[in-house]
Amino acid sequence: MPKFIPRFDFPRYNIPIADFKGHQLKALRRFEKLKPQFHLVLELRDLRAPLSTRNVLLDQVVDKRHHERLVIYTKRDCFPSSSPYLDRLAQWHAELEENFLMVDSRHRNASNHILRCIHWHHELHREKNYGLAPPLGFKVLVTGMPNVGKSTLINSMRGSSGKVARTGSEAGVTRSTSESIKIGQDGNGVYLIDTPGVGLPARLSDANRMLALTLCGCVKRSLVDPWIQADYLLYLMNLQLPYGTDNIKEAERKLSTYPGALEEPTNDLEVVLNRLRRHPRESDTSVALRWLEEPRSGLVLDPELLLPCADFSMSQHVKQELKHARKAMRK
Ligand SMILES: Nc1nc2c(ncn2[C@@H]2O[C@H](COP(=O)(O)OP(=O)(O)OP(=O)(O)O)[C@@H](O)[C@H]2O)c(=O)[nH]1
Ligand SMILES: [Mg+2]
């Protein structure tokens, strides 16, 4: 039997390539105004799609002379405890000389860890300012694309002091930048600022990025036809099957929901939907939607990250993106 070959390219479907709303633009303007007030930026990204959920517009929020930035990857629970992909992510960050954490933002352990980092930055700030604490408290702006878990993390950090930020599974739950939210009972003067998720305008986005963001829930899922979303998911899953092996059982263990237990891998979405159909009259759309909703472990949603190490450099990617953004913003 011939070896299975995945698709290496995804067709360019005609889909909307952005979901950038007025309240997001307003949030960006508000960040500009708040710049003199905050000291640390927590930038949240989704661990499943670290490139697509890295927002170049948020680079402008950080003024390196006055602010520190800490990158936090949420949805850590979507990956097993160890994975070569996570090791590569650590290498890429070392290349960028950028600190990062990976957390499940719903958990108290995560928030305790981040709190320790915030206190460390607070202390550092105090040392730089001759031992003086900022008079209005140490303020931390919590930013990121929609639905990455900003409000969830703020609630976890508040712990027993109670939830203050509204959360939800659809993108765009937080609509305006919050007032300062105090954390901790001991009056150590740390305040968080919850913000609306900020996406990318069309000139900074493209179809594949939109698809990755849709699968992460960072844009409204209803914007893209479920059939196209499911086809993109199949494309990504097949790219992540172990190469040079027919061992589908191993592949299934890796991607817990590869469709059709022990059946041949396929690039044909029709075949997959037929395998998953529960009764003959169930429509393609409803099967696709059900499949998209299934939890899955260890699936990377940015295809660039699946390239061999020698073909991908994170620092190069970041530089190119910045260059492209500068050019696009000038137009
Ligand atoms: N599995 C998992 N789910 C998470 C994690 N963090 C947040 N969530 C879920 O992701 C969804 C979005 O969380 P929110 O906190 O509302 O996200 P947000 O970034 O504030 O979203 P906007 O306000 O729309 O920008 C919720 O259903 C959370 O329960 C995580 O680390 N792991
Ligand atoms: Mg929110």
Side-chain angles (χ1 to χ4, degrees):
M1 191 177 298
K3 273 215 166 68
F4 172 71
I5 300 176
R7 286 172 287 176
F8 290 101
D9 270 321
F10 191 73
R12 297 273 154 187
Y13 289 107
N14 190 11
I15 57 167
I17 55 168
D19 183 21
F20 189 71
K21 305 236 170 64
H23 75 270
Q24 302 185 1
L25 183 64
K26 198 169 152 197
L28 281 171
R29 292 190 179 137
R30 180 102 181 97
F31 297 165
E32 271 306 309
K33 288 212 177 110
L34 285 175
K35 261 183 181 176
Q37 290 179 34
F38 59 81
H39 307 95
L40 173 67
V41 176
L42 295 188
E43 191 188 324
L44 273 59
R45 301 177 194 160
D46 190 316
L47 186 57
R48 296 167 296 171
L51 300 184
S52 295
T53 58
R54 182 187 189 285
N55 190 336
V56 69
L57 293 176
L58 296 176
D59 288 351
Q60 324 297 318
V61 175
V62 182
D63 178 344
K64 283 191 180 140
R65 287 166 307 166
H66 302 295
H67 309 130
E68 295 293 329
R69 166 162 67 176
L70 179 60
V71 174
I72 297 175
Y73 289 109
T74 60
K75 325 263 165 132
R76 172 69 184 84
D77 50 298
C78 295
F79 284 88
S81 54
S82 73
S83 117
Y85 158 67
L86 299 182
D87 298 341
R88 280 184 78 187
L89 193 68
Q91 272 174 24
W92 292 323
H93 274 276
E95 230 180 80
L96 290 169
E97 296 180 12
E98 191 173 66
N99 290 328
F100 77 103
L101 295 173
M102 296 182 287
V103 300
D104 174 349
S105 33
R106 299 164 305 173
H107 276 244
R108 186 80 190 132
N109 284 355
S111 54
N112 284 341
H113 194 110
I114 295 169
L115 275 174
R116 280 195 292 277
C117 291
I118 294 178
H119 289 312
W120 182 81
H121 280 286
H122 189 184
E123 269 313 305
L124 203 69
H125 182 273
R126 205 197 295 251
E127 272 171 30
K128 277 189 193 159
N129 289 278
Y130 313 102
L132 295 173
L136 297 176
F138 187 74
K139 296 203 175 167
V140 182
L141 192 79
V142 183
T143 62
M145 290 249 179
N147 210 40
V148 288
K150 301 175 291 300
S151 304
T152 304
L153 183 69
I154 289 177
N155 286 335
S156 312
M157 290 213 259
R158 290 263 303 168
S160 55
S161 311
K163 289 187 176 172
V164 284
R166 211 158 69 83
T167 63
S169 59
E170 271 279 326
V173 171
T174 308
R175 309 289 288 191
S176 57
T177 306
S178 77
E179 296 303 320
S180 302
I181 300 166
K182 187 161 195 280
I183 47 166
Q185 311 276 13
D186 50 358
N188 53 9
V190 173
Y191 296 85
L192 303 178
I193 303 171
D194 191 15
T195 66
V198 176
L200 288 166
R203 59 188 153 164
L204 298 181
S205 188
D206 62 53
N208 278 7
R209 185 166 199 161
M210 184 69 175
L211 283 164
L213 291 174
T214 310
L215 292 185
C216 291
C218 294
V219 295
K220 278 224 154 45
R221 293 181 179 109
S222 55
L223 284 176
V224 180
D225 184 334
W227 200 93
I228 300 176
Q229 291 181 51
D231 197 28
Y232 196 65
L233 177 61
L234 180 65
Y235 157 75
L236 290 169
M237 280 187 155
N238 284 339
L239 275 180
Q240 287 167 77
L241 288 173
Y243 283 106
T245 166
D246 291 327
N247 190 347
I248 300 302
K249 211 167 195 165
E250 165 64 14
E252 281 208 16
R253 199 180 51 71
K254 268 185 76 182
L255 311 171
S256 54
T257 52
Y258 191 80
L262 297 181
E263 287 187 66
E264 280 297 299
T266 173
N267 289 317
D268 187 342
L269 184 65
E270 276 307 329
V271 173
V272 172
L273 296 182
N274 283 334
R275 281 182 197 166
L276 295 168
R277 203 178 306 280
R278 284 189 181 150
H279 53 83
R281 286 176 46 207
E282 194 179 14
S283 70
D284 280 358
T285 307
S286 104
V287 184
L289 284 172
R290 188 158 45 74
W291 187 45
L292 287 163
E293 286 304 317
E294 279 174 22
R296 37 187 64 85
S297 170
L299 189 74
V300 179
L301 302 179
D302 281 330
E304 299 90 329
L305 300 181
L306 305 170
L307 292 171
C309 292
D311 295 348
F312 178 78
S313 151
M314 181 76 108
S315 55
Q316 211 53 33
H317 173 90
V318 168
K319 265 188 211 148
Q320 267 167 10
E321 196 175 48
L322 199 65
K323 203 167 138 194
H324 170 69
R326 285 203 182 115
K327 218 162 140 188
M329 302 307 271
R330 272 203 299 269
K331 276 183 193 160

